[in-house]
Coordinates of all heavy atoms in Angstrom, one line a residue:
M23 N 171.2 65.0 94.8 CA 171.2 66.3 95.4 C 171.7 66.1 96.8 O 171.3 65.2 97.5 CB 169.9 66.9 95.3 CG 169.8 68.3 95.9 SD 170.6 69.6 95.1 CE 169.6 69.8 93.7
I24 N 172.6 67.0 97.2 CA 173.0 67.1 98.6 C 172.2 68.1 99.4 O 172.0 69.3 98.9 CB 174.5 67.5 98.8 CG1 175.4 66.5 97.9 CG2 174.9 67.5 100.2 CD1 175.5 65.1 98.4
Y25 N 171.8 67.7 100.5 CA 170.9 68.6 101.4 C 171.6 68.7 102.8 O 172.3 67.8 103.2 CB 169.5 68.0 101.6 CG 168.6 67.9 100.4 CD1 168.7 66.8 99.6 CD2 167.9 69.1 100.0 CE1 167.9 66.8 98.4 CE2 167.2 69.0 98.8 CZ 167.1 67.9 98.1 OH 166.4 67.8 96.9
I26 N 171.3 69.9 103.4 CA 171.7 70.1 104.7 C 170.4 70.0 105.6 O 169.3 70.5 105.2 CB 172.4 71.4 105.0 CG1 173.0 71.5 106.4 CG2 171.6 72.5 104.6 CD1 174.0 72.5 106.7
V27 N 170.5 69.2 106.7 CA 169.3 69.0 107.5 C 169.8 69.4 108.9 O 170.8 68.8 109.5 CB 168.8 67.5 107.5 CG1 167.6 67.4 108.3 CG2 168.4 67.2 106.1
S28 N 169.1 70.2 109.5 CA 169.4 70.6 110.9 C 168.1 70.3 111.8 O 167.0 70.6 111.4 CB 169.6 72.1 110.9 OG 169.9 72.6 112.2
F29 N 168.4 69.9 112.9 CA 167.3 69.5 113.9 C 167.6 70.1 115.3 O 168.7 70.2 115.7 CB 167.3 67.9 114.2 CG 166.5 67.5 115.3 CD1 165.1 67.4 115.3 CD2 167.1 67.0 116.4 CE1 164.5 67.1 116.4 CE2 166.5 66.6 117.5 CZ 165.2 66.5 117.5
E30 N 166.5 70.7 115.8 CA 166.6 71.2 117.1 C 165.5 70.6 118.0 O 164.4 70.7 117.6 CB 166.5 72.7 117.2 CG 166.7 73.3 118.5 CD 166.8 74.8 118.6 OE1 167.1 75.4 117.5 OE2 166.6 75.4 119.6
S31 N 165.9 70.0 119.1 CA 164.9 69.4 119.9 C 164.2 70.5 120.9 O 165.0 71.3 121.5 CB 165.4 68.3 120.8 OG 164.5 67.8 121.7
G32 N 162.9 70.4 121.0 CA 162.2 71.3 122.0 C 162.2 70.7 123.3 O 161.7 71.2 124.3
V33 N 162.7 69.4 123.5 CA 162.6 68.7 124.7 C 164.0 68.4 125.2 O 164.9 67.9 124.5 CB 161.9 67.3 124.5 CG1 161.9 66.5 125.8 CG2 160.4 67.6 124.1
S34 N 164.4 68.9 126.4 CA 165.7 68.7 126.9 C 166.1 67.2 127.0 O 165.3 66.4 127.4 CB 165.8 69.3 128.3 OG 167.0 69.1 128.9
G35 N 167.3 66.9 126.5 CA 167.8 65.6 126.6 C 167.6 64.8 125.3 O 168.2 63.7 125.3
R36 N 166.8 65.2 124.4 CA 166.6 64.4 123.2 C 167.8 64.7 122.2 O 168.1 65.9 122.0 CB 165.2 64.8 122.5 CG 164.1 64.1 123.1 CD 162.8 64.1 122.3 NE 163.1 63.5 120.9 CZ 162.5 64.0 119.8 NH1 161.8 65.1 119.9 NH2 162.7 63.4 118.7
D37 N 168.3 63.7 121.6 CA 169.6 63.8 120.9 C 169.4 63.8 119.4 O 170.3 63.9 118.6 CB 170.6 62.9 121.3 CG 170.2 61.4 121.1 OD1 169.1 61.2 120.5 OD2 171.0 60.6 121.4
G38 N 168.2 63.5 118.9 CA 168.0 63.5 117.5 C 168.2 62.0 116.9 O 168.2 61.9 115.7
A39 N 168.3 61.1 117.7 CA 168.6 59.7 117.1 C 167.5 59.2 116.2 O 167.6 58.5 115.2 CB 168.8 58.8 118.3
A40 N 166.2 59.5 116.6 CA 165.0 59.0 115.9 C 165.0 59.8 114.5 O 164.6 59.2 113.4 CB 163.8 59.3 116.6
V41 N 165.4 61.1 114.6 CA 165.4 61.9 113.3 C 166.5 61.3 112.4 O 166.3 61.1 111.2 CB 165.7 63.3 113.6 CG1 165.8 64.2 112.3 CG2 164.4 63.9 114.5
R42 N 167.7 61.0 113.0 CA 168.8 60.4 112.2 C 168.3 59.2 111.5 O 168.6 58.9 110.4 CB 170.0 60.3 113.1 CG 171.1 59.3 112.6 CD 172.0 60.1 111.6 NE 173.0 59.1 111.0 CZ 174.3 59.2 111.0 NH1 174.8 60.1 111.7 NH2 175.0 58.4 110.3
A43 N 167.7 58.3 112.3 CA 167.2 57.0 111.7 C 166.3 57.2 110.5 O 166.3 56.6 109.5 CB 166.6 56.2 112.8
A44 N 165.3 58.2 110.7 CA 164.4 58.5 109.6 C 165.1 59.1 108.4 O 164.8 58.8 107.2 CB 163.3 59.5 110.1
L45 N 166.1 59.9 108.7 CA 166.9 60.6 107.7 C 167.7 59.5 106.9 O 167.8 59.6 105.6 CB 167.8 61.6 108.2 CG 168.5 62.5 107.3 CD1 167.6 63.3 106.5 CD2 169.4 63.5 108.1
E46 N 168.2 58.5 107.5 CA 168.9 57.4 106.8 C 168.0 56.7 105.8 O 168.6 56.1 104.8 CB 169.6 56.5 107.8 CG 170.7 57.1 108.5 CD 171.3 56.2 109.7 OE1 170.7 55.3 110.1 OE2 172.4 56.6 110.1
A47 N 166.8 56.7 106.0 CA 165.8 56.0 105.0 C 165.7 56.9 103.7 O 165.3 56.5 102.7 CB 164.5 55.8 105.6
C48 N 166.2 58.2 103.8 CA 166.0 59.2 102.7 C 167.3 59.1 101.8 O 167.1 59.6 100.6 CB 165.8 60.5 103.2 SG 164.3 60.8 104.1
G49 N 168.3 58.6 102.3 CA 169.6 58.7 101.4 C 170.8 58.4 102.4 O 170.8 58.0 103.5
T50 N 172.0 58.6 101.7 CA 173.3 58.5 102.4 C 173.5 59.7 103.3 O 173.4 60.8 102.9 CB 174.4 58.4 101.4 OG1 174.0 57.3 100.5 CG2 175.7 58.0 102.0
V51 N 173.8 59.4 104.6 CA 173.9 60.5 105.5 C 175.3 60.6 106.1 O 176.0 59.7 106.3 CB 172.9 60.2 106.7 CG1 173.0 61.3 107.8 CG2 171.5 60.1 106.2
N52 N 175.6 61.9 106.3 CA 176.9 62.2 107.1 C 176.6 63.2 108.2 O 176.0 64.3 107.9 CB 177.9 62.9 106.1 CG 179.2 63.4 106.8 OD1 179.1 64.3 107.6 ND2 180.2 62.6 106.6
A53 N 176.9 62.8 109.4 CA 176.6 63.7 110.6 C 177.9 64.5 110.8 O 178.9 64.0 111.1 CB 176.4 62.8 111.8
F54 N 177.7 65.8 110.6 CA 178.9 66.7 110.8 C 178.8 67.5 112.0 O 179.8 68.1 112.4 CB 179.2 67.6 109.5 CG 178.2 68.6 109.2 CD1 178.4 69.9 109.7 CD2 177.0 68.3 108.5 CE1 177.5 70.9 109.4 CE2 176.2 69.3 108.1 CZ 176.3 70.6 108.7
Q55 N 177.7 67.5 112.6 CA 177.4 68.1 113.9 C 176.5 67.2 114.6 O 176.0 66.3 114.0 CB 176.8 69.5 113.8 CG 177.6 70.5 113.0 CD 178.8 70.9 113.8 OE1 178.8 71.0 115.1 NE2 179.9 71.2 113.2
R56 N 176.3 67.4 115.9 CA 175.5 66.4 116.8 C 174.0 66.4 116.2 O 173.5 65.3 116.1 CB 175.4 67.0 118.2 CG 174.9 66.0 119.1 CD 175.1 66.4 120.6 NE 175.8 67.7 120.6 CZ 175.5 68.6 121.5 NH1 174.7 68.5 122.5 NH2 176.3 69.8 121.5
T57 N 173.5 67.4 115.7 CA 172.1 67.4 115.1 C 172.0 68.1 113.8 O 171.0 68.7 113.5 CB 171.0 67.9 116.1 OG1 171.3 69.2 116.5 CG2 171.0 67.0 117.3
A58 N 173.1 68.0 113.0 CA 173.0 68.5 111.7 C 173.7 67.5 110.8 O 174.7 66.9 111.1 CB 173.7 69.9 111.6
W59 N 173.1 67.3 109.6 CA 173.6 66.3 108.7 C 173.6 66.7 107.3 O 172.8 67.6 106.9 CB 172.6 65.0 108.8 CG 172.4 64.5 110.2 CD1 173.2 63.6 110.9 CD2 171.3 64.8 111.0 NE1 172.7 63.3 112.0 CE2 171.5 64.1 112.2 CE3 170.2 65.7 111.0 CZ2 170.7 64.1 113.3 CZ3 169.4 65.8 112.1 CH2 169.6 65.0 113.2
L60 N 174.4 66.1 106.5 CA 174.3 66.2 105.0 C 173.7 64.9 104.6 O 174.0 63.8 105.1 CB 175.6 66.3 104.4 CG 176.4 67.7 104.7 CD1 177.7 67.7 103.8 CD2 175.6 68.9 104.4
V61 N 172.9 65.0 103.6 CA 172.2 63.8 103.0 C 172.2 63.8 101.5 O 171.9 64.9 100.9 CB 170.8 63.5 103.6 CG1 169.9 64.7 103.2 CG2 170.2 62.2 103.1
D62 N 172.6 62.8 100.9 CA 172.7 62.7 99.4 C 171.4 61.9 99.1 O 171.3 60.7 99.4 CB 173.9 61.9 99.0 CG 174.1 61.9 97.5 OD1 173.2 62.4 96.8 OD2 175.1 61.4 97.0
S63 N 170.4 62.6 98.5 CA 169.2 62.0 98.3 C 168.5 62.4 97.0 O 168.8 63.5 96.4 CB 168.2 62.4 99.4 OG 166.9 61.9 99.3
S64 N 167.6 61.5 96.4 CA 166.9 61.8 95.2 C 165.6 62.5 95.6 O 164.9 62.9 94.7 CB 166.7 60.6 94.4 OG 165.9 59.7 95.1
L65 N 165.2 62.6 96.8 CA 164.1 63.2 97.2 C 164.2 64.8 97.3 O 165.3 65.3 97.2 CB 163.7 62.8 98.7 CG 163.4 61.3 98.9 CD1 163.2 61.0 100.4 CD2 162.3 60.9 98.1
T66 N 163.0 65.5 97.3 CA 163.1 67.0 97.4 C 163.2 67.3 98.9 O 163.1 66.5 99.7 CB 161.9 67.6 96.8 OG1 160.8 67.2 97.6 CG2 161.6 67.2 95.4
A67 N 163.5 68.6 99.1 CA 163.7 69.0 100.5 C 162.3 68.9 101.2 O 162.3 68.4 102.4 CB 164.0 70.6 100.6
S68 N 161.2 69.1 100.6 CA 159.9 68.9 101.2 C 159.6 67.5 101.5 O 159.0 67.2 102.5 CB 158.7 69.4 100.3 OG 158.9 70.8 100.1
Q69 N 160.0 66.6 100.6 CA 159.8 65.2 100.8 C 160.6 64.7 102.0 O 160.2 63.8 102.7 CB 160.1 64.4 99.5 CG 159.2 64.6 98.4 CD 159.7 64.0 97.1 OE1 160.8 64.0 96.8 NE2 158.7 63.4 96.3
I70 N 161.9 65.2 102.1 CA 162.7 64.8 103.2 C 162.1 65.2 104.5 O 161.9 64.5 105.5 CB 164.1 65.3 103.1 CG1 164.8 64.7 101.9 CG2 164.9 65.2 104.4 CD1 166.1 65.2 101.6
R71 N 161.6 66.5 104.6 CA 160.9 67.0 105.7 C 159.8 66.2 106.1 O 159.6 65.8 107.3 CB 160.5 68.4 105.5 CG 159.8 69.0 106.7 CD 158.7 70.1 106.3 NE 157.8 69.6 105.3 CZ 157.3 70.3 104.3 NH1 157.6 71.6 104.2 NH2 156.4 69.8 103.4
D72 N 159.0 65.8 105.2 CA 157.7 65.0 105.4 C 158.1 63.6 105.9 O 157.4 63.1 106.7 CB 156.9 64.9 104.1 CG 156.3 66.2 103.8 OD1 156.3 67.2 104.5 OD2 155.8 66.3 102.6
E73 N 159.2 63.0 105.5 CA 159.7 61.7 106.0 C 160.1 61.8 107.3 O 160.1 60.9 108.2 CB 160.9 61.2 105.1 CG 160.5 60.8 103.7 CD 159.5 59.5 103.7 OE1 159.8 58.6 104.5 OE2 158.6 59.5 102.9
L74 N 160.7 63.0 107.8 CA 161.1 63.2 109.2 C 159.9 63.5 110.2 O 160.1 63.2 111.4 CB 162.1 64.3 109.2 CG 163.4 64.1 108.5 CD1 164.2 65.4 108.6 CD2 164.1 62.9 108.8
K75 N 158.9 64.0 109.7 CA 157.7 64.4 110.6 C 157.3 63.3 111.6 O 157.1 63.7 112.8 CB 156.5 64.9 109.8 CG 156.7 66.3 109.2 CD 155.4 66.7 108.5 CE 155.6 68.1 108.0 NZ 154.3 68.5 107.2
P76 N 157.2 62.0 111.2 CA 156.7 61.1 112.3 C 157.7 61.0 113.4 O 157.3 60.5 114.5 CB 156.6 59.8 111.5 CG 156.4 60.2 110.0 CD 157.2 61.5 110.0
S77 N 158.9 61.3 113.2 CA 159.9 61.2 114.3 C 160.1 62.5 115.1 O 160.9 62.5 116.1 CB 161.3 60.8 113.7 OG 161.8 61.7 112.9
L78 N 159.3 63.5 114.8 CA 159.4 64.8 115.5 C 158.4 64.9 116.6 O 157.3 64.4 116.4 CB 159.3 65.9 114.5 CG 160.3 66.1 113.3 CD1 159.9 67.1 112.4 CD2 161.7 66.3 113.9
E79 N 158.7 65.7 117.6 CA 157.7 66.1 118.6 C 157.2 67.5 118.2 O 157.8 68.2 117.5 CB 158.4 66.1 120.0 CG 159.0 64.8 120.4 CD 157.9 63.7 120.7 OE1 156.7 64.1 121.0 OE2 158.2 62.5 120.5
V80 N 156.1 67.8 118.9 CA 155.5 69.2 118.5 C 156.5 70.3 118.8 O 156.5 71.3 118.0 CB 154.2 69.4 119.4 CG1 153.6 70.8 119.2 CG2 153.2 68.3 119.0
E81 N 157.3 70.2 119.8 CA 158.3 71.2 120.3 C 159.5 71.3 119.4 O 160.3 72.2 119.5 CB 158.7 71.0 121.7 CG 157.6 71.0 122.7 CD 157.0 69.6 122.8 OE1 157.4 68.6 122.1 OE2 156.0 69.4 123.6
D82 N 159.7 70.3 118.5 CA 161.0 70.2 117.7 C 160.9 71.0 116.5 O 159.8 71.5 116.0 CB 161.2 68.7 117.2 CG 161.4 67.8 118.4 OD1 161.7 68.2 119.5 OD2 161.3 66.6 118.1
S83 N 162.0 71.4 115.9 CA 162.1 72.1 114.6 C 163.1 71.3 113.7 O 164.1 70.7 114.3 CB 162.5 73.5 114.8 OG 163.7 73.7 115.4
V84 N 162.9 71.4 112.5 CA 163.8 70.9 111.5 C 163.9 71.8 110.3 O 163.0 72.5 109.9 CB 163.3 69.4 111.1 CG1 162.0 69.4 110.3 CG2 164.4 68.6 110.4
F85 N 165.1 71.9 109.7 CA 165.3 72.7 108.5 C 166.0 71.8 107.5 O 167.0 71.1 107.7 CB 166.2 73.8 108.9 CG 166.7 74.7 107.8 CD1 165.8 75.6 107.2 CD2 167.9 74.5 107.2 CE1 166.2 76.4 106.1 CE2 168.3 75.3 106.0 CZ 167.5 76.2 105.6
V86 N 165.5 71.9 106.2 CA 166.1 71.1 105.2 C 166.3 72.0 104.0 O 165.3 72.7 103.6 CB 165.1 69.9 104.7 CG1 165.7 69.1 103.6 CG2 164.8 69.0 105.9
S87 N 167.4 72.0 103.4 CA 167.7 72.8 102.2 C 168.8 72.2 101.3 O 169.7 71.5 101.8 CB 168.2 74.2 102.7 OG 168.6 75.0 101.6
A88 N 168.6 72.4 100.0 CA 169.6 72.0 99.1 C 170.8 72.8 99.4 O 170.8 73.9 99.8 CB 169.1 72.2 97.7
L89 N 172.0 72.2 99.2 CA 173.2 72.8 99.6 C 174.0 73.2 98.3 O 174.2 72.4 97.5 CB 174.1 71.8 100.4 CG 175.3 72.3 101.1 CD1 175.0 73.5 102.1 CD2 176.0 71.2 101.9
D90 N 174.4 74.5 98.2 CA 175.2 75.0 97.1 C 176.6 74.7 97.4 O 177.2 75.3 98.3 CB 174.9 76.5 96.9 CG 175.8 77.0 95.8 OD1 176.5 76.3 95.1 OD2 175.7 78.3 95.6
L91 N 177.2 73.7 96.7 CA 178.5 73.3 97.0 C 179.5 73.8 96.1 O 180.7 73.5 96.0 CB 178.6 71.7 96.8 CG 177.7 71.0 98.0 CD1 177.6 69.6 97.8 CD2 178.5 71.3 99.4
R92 N 179.1 74.9 95.4 CA 180.1 75.7 94.6 C 181.0 76.5 95.5 O 182.1 76.9 95.1 CB 179.4 76.6 93.6 CG 178.8 75.7 92.5 CD 177.9 76.6 91.6 NE 176.8 77.1 92.4 CZ 176.0 78.0 92.0 NH1 176.1 78.6 90.9 NH2 175.0 78.4 92.8
S93 N 180.4 76.8 96.6 CA 181.2 77.6 97.6 C 181.0 77.1 99.0 O 179.9 77.1 99.6 CB 180.7 79.0 97.5 OG 181.4 79.8 98.5
W94 N 182.1 76.4 99.6 CA 182.0 76.0 100.9 C 183.4 75.9 101.5 O 184.3 75.9 100.9 CB 181.3 74.6 101.0 CG 182.1 73.5 100.4 CD1 182.1 73.2 99.0 CD2 183.1 72.6 100.9 NE1 182.9 72.1 98.7 CE2 183.5 71.8 99.8 CE3 183.6 72.4 102.1 CZ2 184.5 70.8 100.0 CZ3 184.5 71.5 102.4 CH2 185.0 70.6 101.3
A95 N 183.4 76.0 102.9 CA 184.7 75.9 103.5 C 184.5 75.2 104.9 O 183.4 75.2 105.4 CB 185.2 77.3 103.8
G96 N 185.5 74.6 105.4 CA 185.4 73.8 106.7 C 186.7 73.8 107.3 O 187.8 74.1 106.7
W97 N 186.6 73.5 108.5 CA 187.9 73.3 109.3 C 187.7 72.2 110.3 O 186.7 72.1 110.9 CB 188.2 74.6 110.1 CG 189.5 74.5 110.8 CD1 190.7 74.6 110.3 CD2 189.6 74.4 112.2 NE1 191.7 74.4 111.3 CE2 191.0 74.3 112.5 CE3 188.8 74.1 113.3 CZ2 191.6 74.1 113.7 CZ3 189.3 73.9 114.5 CH2 190.7 73.9 114.7
N98 N 188.7 71.4 110.3 CA 188.7 70.2 111.3 C 187.4 69.3 111.1 O 186.8 69.1 112.1 CB 188.9 70.7 112.7 CG 189.4 69.7 113.7 OD1 189.9 68.6 113.3 ND2 189.1 69.9 115.0
T99 N 187.1 68.9 109.9 CA 185.9 68.2 109.7 C 186.2 67.0 108.7 O 187.1 67.2 107.9 CB 184.8 69.1 109.1 OG1 183.6 68.4 108.8 CG2 185.1 69.9 107.9
R100 N 185.4 66.0 108.8 CA 185.4 64.9 107.9 C 184.6 65.1 106.6 O 184.5 64.2 105.8 CB 184.9 63.6 108.6 CG 185.8 63.2 109.7 CD 185.3 61.9 110.4 NE 183.9 62.0 110.7 CZ 183.4 62.2 111.9 NH1 184.0 62.4 112.9 NH2 182.1 62.3 112.0
L101 N 183.9 66.2 106.5 CA 183.1 66.5 105.4 C 183.8 66.4 104.1 O 183.2 66.0 103.1 CB 182.4 67.8 105.6 CG 181.2 67.9 106.6 CD1 180.7 69.3 106.6 CD2 180.1 66.9 106.2
K102 N 184.9 66.9 104.1 CA 185.7 67.0 102.7 C 185.8 65.6 102.1 O 185.5 65.4 101.0 CB 187.0 67.6 103.0 CG 187.8 67.7 101.7 CD 189.2 68.6 101.9 CE 189.9 68.7 100.6 NZ 191.1 69.5 100.9
V103 N 186.1 64.6 103.0 CA 186.2 63.2 102.6 C 184.8 62.8 102.1 O 184.7 62.2 100.9 CB 186.7 62.3 103.7 CG1 186.7 60.9 103.2 CG2 188.1 62.7 104.0
W104 N 183.7 63.0 102.9 CA 182.4 62.5 102.5 C 182.0 63.1 101.1 O 181.4 62.5 100.3 CB 181.5 62.8 103.6 CG 180.1 62.2 103.4 CD1 179.7 60.9 103.7 CD2 178.9 62.9 102.8 NE1 178.4 60.8 103.4 CE2 177.9 62.0 102.9 CE3 178.7 64.1 102.3 CZ2 176.6 62.2 102.4 CZ3 177.4 64.4 101.8 CH2 176.4 63.5 101.9
L105 N 182.2 64.5 101.1 CA 181.8 65.2 99.8 C 182.5 64.6 98.6 O 182.0 64.4 97.6 CB 182.0 66.7 100.0 CG 181.1 67.4 100.9 CD1 181.6 68.8 101.2 CD2 179.7 67.4 100.4
S106 N 183.8 64.4 98.8 CA 184.6 63.8 97.6 C 184.1 62.5 97.3 O 184.1 62.0 96.1 CB 186.1 63.8 97.9 OG 186.5 63.0 98.9
E107 N 183.7 61.7 98.3 CA 183.2 60.3 98.0 C 181.8 60.4 97.2 O 181.4 59.5 96.6 CB 183.0 59.5 99.3 CG 184.3 59.1 99.9 CD 184.1 58.6 101.3 OE1 182.9 58.6 101.9 OE2 185.1 58.0 101.9
H108 N 181.2 61.5 97.3 CA 180.0 61.8 96.6 C 180.1 62.7 95.4 O 179.1 63.2 94.9 CB 178.9 62.3 97.6 CG 178.5 61.3 98.6 ND1 177.4 60.5 98.4 CD2 179.1 60.9 99.8 CE1 177.3 59.6 99.4 NE2 178.3 59.9 100.3
G109 N 181.3 62.7 94.9 CA 181.6 63.3 93.6 C 181.8 64.8 93.6 O 181.7 65.5 92.6
L110 N 182.0 65.4 94.9 CA 182.1 66.9 94.9 C 183.5 67.2 95.5 O 183.9 66.7 96.5 CB 181.0 67.3 95.9 CG 179.6 67.0 95.4 CD1 178.6 67.1 96.5 CD2 179.2 67.9 94.2
Q111 N 184.2 67.9 94.8 CA 185.6 68.3 95.1 C 185.6 69.8 95.8 O 184.7 70.5 95.7 CB 186.5 68.3 93.9 CG 186.5 66.9 93.3 CD 187.1 65.9 94.3 OE1 188.0 66.1 95.0 NE2 186.4 64.7 94.2
D112 N 186.6 70.0 96.5 CA 186.9 71.4 97.1 C 186.8 72.4 95.9 O 187.4 72.2 94.9 CB 188.4 71.4 97.6 CG 188.4 72.1 98.9 OD1 187.5 72.9 99.2 OD2 189.4 71.9 99.6
P113 N 186.0 73.4 96.2 CA 185.8 74.4 95.1 C 187.1 75.2 94.9 O 187.9 75.4 95.6 CB 184.7 75.4 95.6 CG 184.4 75.0 97.0 CD 185.1 73.7 97.3

């Protein structure tokens, strides 16, 4: 399952590196924005969130959701290549 994961730091200057490292333990990751990733994982959204919790600060927020790839569009992004490498073609 492909998930979208978004992270927002509540502390100025944190870049999400610790969250990215924790996310990489959950599956194959593609960073398409500075603090937003796609992850191909066998875990559920709740399990991914729980795996990320130790790398979060109280002020941080994280969002994890399964991604409906029947309808997507992008511009000037490497996501198309990553998605096709994971068996998903342009709709």
Side-chain angles (χ1 to χ4, degrees):
M23 175 73 64
I24 304 290
Y25 294 92
I26 186 166
V27 179
S28 176
F29 163 76
E30 184 173 338
S31 175
V33 178
S34 179
R36 281 193 59 221
D37 63 1
V41 174
R42 163 84 189 235
L45 191 57
E46 288 174 346
C48 296
T50 306
V51 177
N52 176 287
F54 68 95
Q55 298 289 326
R56 197 170 355 148
T57 58
W59 306 274
L60 293 185
V61 59
D62 188 357
S63 179
S64 61
L65 301 177
T66 66
S68 296
Q69 290 170 323
I70 293 170
R71 179 210 51 215
D72 292 346
E73 290 293 320
L74 299 178
K75 281 183 179 179
S77 62
L78 299 173
E79 300 292 334
V80 174
E81 303 86 0
D82 296 343
S83 64
V84 69
F85 174 79
V86 181
S87 178
L89 192 58
D90 178 359
L91 292 166
R92 292 172 292 170
S93 176
W94 63 274
W97 182 77
N98 200 19
T99 177
R100 297 180 310 257
L101 283 180
K102 185 173 182 176
V103 172
W104 188 86
L105 289 169
S106 67
E107 288 171 351
H108 291 266
L110 302 159
Q111 300 301 317
D112 219 340

